[in-house]
Amino acid sequence: MKDTYFVVGISTEVGKTVVSAILTEALQADYWKPIQSGDLENSDTHKVKRLISNSRTVFHPNSYGLHTPASPHLSAQLDGVRIELSKIVRPTTDNTLIIEAAGGLYVPLNDEDTMLDLILPTDKVVLVSRHYLGSINHTMLTYEALKNKGLNVHGIIFSGTPTPSTEEFILHKTGLPVLLRIDEEPYFDRQVVKEYASKLKI
């Protein structure tokens, strides 16, 4: 397998799925979301499928498809199952792989493990930061958690209305390269994703 990019966000609903689609399109990579909580008929995998144009991408099935839109540990409990790390097996592929996290790093998977435990030192972590009040703190905490575990933070993608002072502080403190900036778009479709894919500095 080629490179693996693990897309993580500073919180929920910050644009991880759109970023995953852009990465998948730009690299003609495979896509995998290990855990899907809720929206099984319109999952993030379905959304990425609708947003990309290339024909090379393979979409790998979730290790866990849970029915309730909630934290994975709660959703699993309501489904009567327990999420086991040993059952979250990465797909075999000779292609680049994009992995999309569910929620933030410390989203619990069970009584002990969190989303952070799914990331390997060999992964290139792409940090997605969306501009909102409190996003500097959330971005820095997420970055520090990744670095404290010795993980490779490959770069950052900002989404939302540009806020230069916020970006300047984060970049000064982290030294991360900006892979892409995503504007507050009215919608995302294949053409918009393709345009952003052409701007990606991966």
Side-chain angles (χ1 to χ4, degrees), residues 103-124:
L105 288 182
Y106 284 107
V107 164
L109 306 182
N110 51 45
D111 294 337
E112 299 175 357
D113 304 308
T114 69
M115 187 61 56
L116 183 59
D117 295 306
L118 295 182
I119 306 174
L120 301 180
T122 52
D123 294 337
K124 294 181 176 181

